[in-house]
Structures are given as structure tokens and as C-alpha cells.
């Protein structure tokens, strides 16, 4: 890729003051010969957050022949404490910016005749990575409480973005992200990879085309918390020297350090995550929204059905998920805690169920049903990371654009709010506000610790 073309694109973005409409921003990358590994067609990327999933994402992008990973960023230098909860000692890999840098440099070294490669920078502060003019796209795989700030800043810096689910910590954050992506003409992929599964797409097409009659109900379940909470009388621990704890907390309130607060287990802290409702719900509810044709809207009612939260301790997210949501077309979605993940579509004339990694159909003939040329066909993508890179080049919409990711994550947030207030709430998906409940509306946003803001 020509560095000049990258700079001119950034300069253009700045000059335009951000008032850009999606199709008019052309990435420097499309100026090259798409589909080859010539430098002119290469997409340069930075990976922000290289823990468990971030390292997976980074490897997936490394494996794209037309991507060059040039930078990684993590507030962890190197640690294998991501597995501290395993009783018999953690034998797993090390994660963090230095292990990630080594993965990248070893990968490219194998491809050079000299067998040597040094060309991946490792940052603690993501703002330094975003400030680089030679980076086209970023992959954000930090804990959820960082997603919104990073996405909004990356969009303003003109980077295309692959960001993990659940998109946000609040509905207001998700809306701000969608707004920034639109305003700066950014290509965006949400990390809900079932949108790139042929099987899930087929099932959604069956439902959308009425093969099970009118869709009456979608049952989703989420697994229970998979890590044990520390004792109620947990004590603060010294911050390890391999961690920049202040930058880990970022926009979240300042609290004393404990190992179980951070790596992986952030999922069970309400300041960093919506618990299993958003962590796992963001996947299943996303498919439910897809099948129901409500990807860019939401339910009209949400009701607590007996959700439970811990009374004290370090883990503060929901321990028993149980809520229902009603859509304008009459479809009822339920989400509750259960050992194994289930996704079940019930129609007036049949059902389809996903459990233990396989689909069961009633009637069985649905399995071989063919979607005709004049029926509804959904967006085709069979590889989520590849789809993102292709769209960075073509500037087309991805399989899981920001509005879609925001809307499915919002349903999870609504469920958490209803379970917290132990009530039934009416929701207006057009203006994204509860009807008649100031108390619930106040829970649609949260303040951020200075200097972080949207
Ligand atoms: N799509 C999927 O199937 C899938 C699977 C697992 C996780 N995820 C998502 O990925 C995200 C991360 O989850 P995880 O399990 O990898 O957690 P993790 O704790 O293993 O990794 C998060 C990493 O982000 C780093 N980080 C925190 N603050 C940072 C900052 N300011 N700058 C740079 N790095 C920072 C942490 O140090 C850590 O290394 C979550 O949003 C999660 O929901 C998605």
C-alpha cells in the first residue's frame, strides 16, 4: 500500500470534519490490485487487546494473505495468569503484547528467506497505535467496558474496525458507536461469527421464508458463570508489574486490584460486562434477531422472569438469567440460564432447535429444503475475518455491521435492566427509550471515569 495514499485518505477525513457519508470514503487499499499480496493491496492492521480471544483474532488476520499485522497493543506485557482459576495450575499459553508480538514476528520470519523478521510494534497505550497513519484497520478485543471509547476514537482516526461482541456496556454506548461509524464512513464488523456460518444462515432463511409457519417463539439459553467467585471477604492484591492497571480500568470506576477482577473474569464484574446475558446472549440473541428480521430494531416489551444477582462479593453480574422480550410481530423471545446452550425456533407449523452443536428439524424434511430464487436470501459470508477484509477493500457492508451488533447487544442490556428492576418494561425501539420509566431510562447510560468519554 502506498503510504501517501493512506495519508491522503486520513487528511481527507480530517478536512471533511467527519461529515462523511458511507459510500464516499474510499480506502487507500482499494486503489491497489485487490486479491493479490502485492504491497499495494495489503491491509495493514493493529490488534488492540491480545488476551484469549484477541490472540485468536490476530492469528485469523495473520492467516489472510493480504493482511499485514504491524502492531499489537495490550496493557499486559506478558502473563499466563489468564487461567488462574484452574485448580491444578495453568499450563496454558502466555498472552499479552510481547507474546503477541512474538507470534506475529515468528509468523512473518518463516516467510522470509533470511528467516528473520522484526516489524511488529507493541504498545501499552492504544492511542499511539491509532495515531499511526500507516494502519488501515484495527481489531478490538478488549473487555467490554473499553469497546465504545476505542471504537469511537478509532473511527475518528479513520480506521476500519473489527470489534468483539458484546458491542457495548450500555445502550447509549452502542448508539454512540453506530453514530461514529456512520459519521466517519468506517467499515465495521461485530465479532458475532455465527453471521458467517452457512448453517445458521440456512436456518434463518428457513424461518424468514415461513418454513415453520409464523414464528411464535425463540428460546435462547446461556450457560451459568463458568468461574468460581472469590470468597466474600476477598482482599485487595498488589498490582502485578506486568499490568498497567489504570489503563485496564480505563473508563470504569477506580477499585482495588484483584486477580479475579481482570483477565477473562471481567465477565462477572458489572463495571466491565453485562455477565452471561451479554457475553453469551449477544451470540444467540443476534441469531434470533436475524431469523426474526428485526436486526436493526428491537422488542417492544421486556420482562423479568426471575433473574438473580449476587448480594455481595467481587462478582456482581447476574447469576441466574431469566427474562422474556416481546416483538411487534408477536414473537416472544426468552433467555435463561441453563447448563448447555440451546437456540430453538418455534413456529405454527414446525420447529428448529440447535443444541450440543447440532440442529434438529421438525418436520425433518426442513433439513433438505431448498430456498427458491424468489425467496428471501440472507447475506452470504462463510468466514467472518475474511468478510471484514473483503469489505475493507470494497467498502461494502459486512456480515455483522455496527447497527446489527448494537441492536442485538441492546436486547441483552434491556434484559439486564428488567431483571435488575424486577419488572416488565415497555420499550420504543425507534427512539431507544423505555416508555414511562425514568428509572429504567437512567440505566441506558453510565458515566465514565475521567479523562475517558464518548
Ligand atoms: N466472538 C467470540 O466468540 C468471543 C469469544 C471470547 C471472547 N470474546 C470477546 O472478546 C473480548 C475479550 O475477551 P477475552 O476472553 O479475550 O478476555 P481477556 O481478558 O483474555 O483479554 C482481554 C485483553 O484486553 C486487554 N486490555 C484491557 N484493557 C486494555 C487496554 N486499555 N488496551 C489494550 N488492551 C487492553 C487485557 O489486558 C487482556 O489481555 C470480550 O469482549 C469478549 O466478549 C468474543
Amino acid at each position: 500500500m502506498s503510504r501517501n495514499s493512506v495519508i491522503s485518505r486520513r487528511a481527507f477525513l480530517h478536512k471533511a470534519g467527519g461529515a462523511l457519508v458511507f459510500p464516499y470514503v474510499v480506502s487507500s487499499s482499494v486503489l491497489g490490485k485487490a486479491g493479490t499480496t502485492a504491497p499495494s493491496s495489503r491491509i495493514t492492521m493493529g490488534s488492540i487487546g491480545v488476551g484469549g480471544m484477541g490472540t485468536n483474532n490476530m492469528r485469523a488476520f495473520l492467516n489472510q494473505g493480504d493482511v499485514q499485522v504491524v502492531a499489537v497493543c495490550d496493557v499486559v506485557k506478558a502473563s499466563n495468569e489468564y487461567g488462574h482459576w484452574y485448580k491444578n495450575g495453568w499450563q496454558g499459553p502466555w498472552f499479552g503484547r510481547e507474546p503477541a508480538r512474538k507470534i506475529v514476528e515468528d509468523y512473518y520470519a518463516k516467510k522470509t528467506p533470511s528467516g528473520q523478521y522484526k516489524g511488529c510494534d507493541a504498545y501499552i497505550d492504544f492511542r499511539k497505535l491509532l495515531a499511526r497513519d500507516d494502519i488501515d484497520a484495527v481489531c478490538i478485543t478488549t473487555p467490554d467496558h473499553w469497546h465504545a471509547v476505542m471504537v469511537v476514537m478509532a473511527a475518528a482516526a479513520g480506521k476500519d474496525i473489527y470489534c468483539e461482541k458484546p458491542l457495548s456496556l450500555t445502550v447509549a454506548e452502542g448508539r454512540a458507536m453506530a453514530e461514529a461509524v456512520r459519521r466517519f464512513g468506517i467499515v465495521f464488523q461485530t465479532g458475532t461469527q455465527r453471521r458467517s456460518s452457512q448453517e445458521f444462515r440456512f436456518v434463518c432463511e428457513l424461518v424468514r421464508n415461513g418454513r415453520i409457519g409464523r414464528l411464535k417463539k425463540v428460546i435462547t439459553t446461556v450457560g451459568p458463570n463458568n468461574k468460581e467467585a472469590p470468597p466474600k471477604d476477598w482482599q485487595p492484591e498488589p498490582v502485578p508489574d506486568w499490568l498497567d492497571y489504570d489503563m485496564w480500568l480505563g473508563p470504569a470506576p477506580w477499585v482495588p486490584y484483584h486477580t479475579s477482577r481482570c483477565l477473562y473474569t471481567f465477565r462477572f464484574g458489572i463495571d466491565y460486562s453485562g455477565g452471561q446475558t451479554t457475553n453469551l446472549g449477544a451470540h444467540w440473541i443476534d441469531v434470533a434477531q436475524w431469523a426474526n428480521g428485526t436486526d436493526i430494531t428491537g422488542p417492544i416489551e421486556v420482562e423479568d422472569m426471575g433473574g438473580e444477582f449476587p448480594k455481595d462479593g467481587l462478582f456482581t453480574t447476574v447469576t441466574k438469567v431469566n427474562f422474556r422480550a416481546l416483538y411487534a410481530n408477536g414473537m416472544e423471545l426468552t433467555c435463561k440460564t441453563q447448563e448447555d446452550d440451546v437456540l430453538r425456533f418455534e413456529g405454527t407449523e414446525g420447529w428448529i432447535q440447535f443444541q450440543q452443536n447440532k440442529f434438529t428439524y421438525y418436520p425433518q424434511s426442513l433439513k433438505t429444503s431448498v430456498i427458491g430464487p424468489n425467496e428471501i436470501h440472507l447475506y452470504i459470508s462463510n468466514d467472518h475475518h475474511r468478510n471484514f477484509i473483503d469489505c475493507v477493500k470494497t467498502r461494502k457492508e459486512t456480515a455483522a455491521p455496527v447497527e446489527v451488533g448494537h441492536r442485538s447487544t441492546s436486547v441483552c442490556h434491556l434484559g439486564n435492566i428488567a431483571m435488575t428492576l424486577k419488572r416488565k418494561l415497555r420499550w420504543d425501539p425507534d427512539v431507544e427509550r423505555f416508555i414511562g420509566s425514568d428509572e429504567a431510562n437512567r440505566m441506558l447510560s453510565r458515566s465514565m471515569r475521567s479523562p475517558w468519554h464518548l
Side-chain angles (χ1 to χ4, degrees), residues 20 23 72 97-98 100 105 124 143 148 170 190 195-196 363 421 431 454:
L20 290 168
V72 296
R97 63 183 179 275
E98 288 307 335
E105 294 191 336
I124 302 175
T170 65
T190 312
R195 291 262 169 179
S196 293
L421 297 177
V431 294
L454 291 178

Side-chain angles (χ1 to χ4, degrees), residues 98-167:
E98 288 307 335
R101 186 204 320 242
K102 184 163 167 22
I103 290 169
V104 173
E105 294 191 336
D106 286 354
Y107 181 89
Y108 292 128
K110 283 201 189 112
K111 294 183 177 279
T112 57
S114 68
Q116 300 207 337
Y117 179 85
K118 294 274 169 241
C120 179
D121 292 309
Y123 299 97
I124 302 175
D125 190 330
F126 69 98
R127 290 170 293 191
K128 291 192 177 151
L129 187 153
L130 294 184
R132 277 178 57 168
D133 274 335
D134 63 339
I135 293 181
D136 294 316
V138 290
C139 175
I140 298 173
T141 323
T142 55
D144 315 349
H145 67 287
W146 263 115
H147 292 177
V149 166
M150 288 180 176
V151 163
V152 169
M153 289 178 74
K159 313 295 184 202
D160 293 323
I161 304 166
Y162 184 108
C163 179
E164 267 309 337
K165 50 50 64 178
L167 218 48

Side-chain angles (χ1 to χ4, degrees), residues 198-199 202-203 206 211 352 359-372 375:
Q198 189 273 333
E199 223 177 355
F202 172 63
V203 164
L206 289 177
R211 294 289 204 287
I352 303 170
F359 279 102
T360 317
Y361 301 81
Y362 182 81
Q364 276 185 15
S365 57
L366 288 175
K367 196 177 174 177
T368 49
S369 185
V370 176
I371 309 294
E375 292 190 282

